[in-house]
Amino acid sequence: MAQEIKDSDRARQADQAKHQARHPHNENFLAQGGSIAIDVRAEIARLRTEPAWADNDRHGSSLVKGDGINVALMVLKKGAKLQEHHTRAPITVQVIEGKINFVAKDKTQVVTAGMLVALDRAIEHSVEALEESAIVLTVGGEQM
């Protein structure tokens, strides 16, 4: 099991390095005073072609990282779970494809494609994919 985790981590790091090589302008774009546009559907398709997707129940990459903001894309296979955790900043979770259970404050919400949920910092939450899904997670705010 430990070897599988290491192999998975290596694959994820390699995928992230490829992503950063393709999108170097996405890193810290706010500090550079710039702007970017990203084809989210193309990124979803790309993630689904990579080994980390074939070998795991989820895969993702940062779309934008900068001062005070992190926008990540995740693809989740049916049944994939992001265990209960909290963030140091407010978040939004937007479902692009599929359907998830979003649990916060002991309340479960079914969130489907086209819906967005927002949550303040430091609130425990979890996610479970009810079907194969793609989500955009945005973490932002002063206390990142």
Side-chain angles (χ1 to χ4, degrees), residues 11-52:
R12 188 172 14 267
Q13 289 168 352
D15 290 340
Q16 288 172 344
K18 288 179 197 171
H19 175 76
Q20 289 171 347
R22 280 193 300 270
H23 304 287
H25 56 284
N26 294 28
E27 285 293 317
N28 209 12
F29 82 100
L30 291 177
Q32 300 167 13
S35 67
I36 60 172
I38 297 168
D39 183 340
V40 174
R41 296 227 182 258
E43 287 296 307
I44 291 168
R46 182 188 63 77
L47 287 175
R48 288 183 173 145
T49 67
E50 295 182 348

Side-chain angles (χ1 to χ4, degrees), residues 35-113:
S35 67
I36 60 172
I38 297 168
D39 183 340
V40 174
R41 296 227 182 258
E43 287 296 307
I44 291 168
R46 182 188 63 77
L47 287 175
R48 288 183 173 145
T49 67
E50 295 182 348
W53 172 247
D55 297 339
N56 298 288
D57 66 350
R58 75 197 74 169
H59 183 40
S61 68
S62 286
L63 298 175
V64 177
K65 251 186 176 173
D67 295 335
I69 191 168
N70 184 12
V71 181
L73 173 64
M74 294 185 73
V75 287
L76 307 166
K77 291 180 181 169
K78 181 179 180 177
K81 294 180 183 178
L82 304 177
Q83 297 303 319
E84 189 170 74
H85 63 285
H86 68 275
T87 58
R88 297 178 304 192
I91 67 166
T92 64
V93 176
Q94 181 178 8
V95 177
I96 306 300
E97 296 177 358
K99 179 171 34 173
I100 65 169
N101 269 340
F102 186 85
V103 181
K105 292 186 165 186
D106 296 321
K107 181 181 175 190
T108 301
Q109 292 178 277
V110 175
V111 186
T112 59

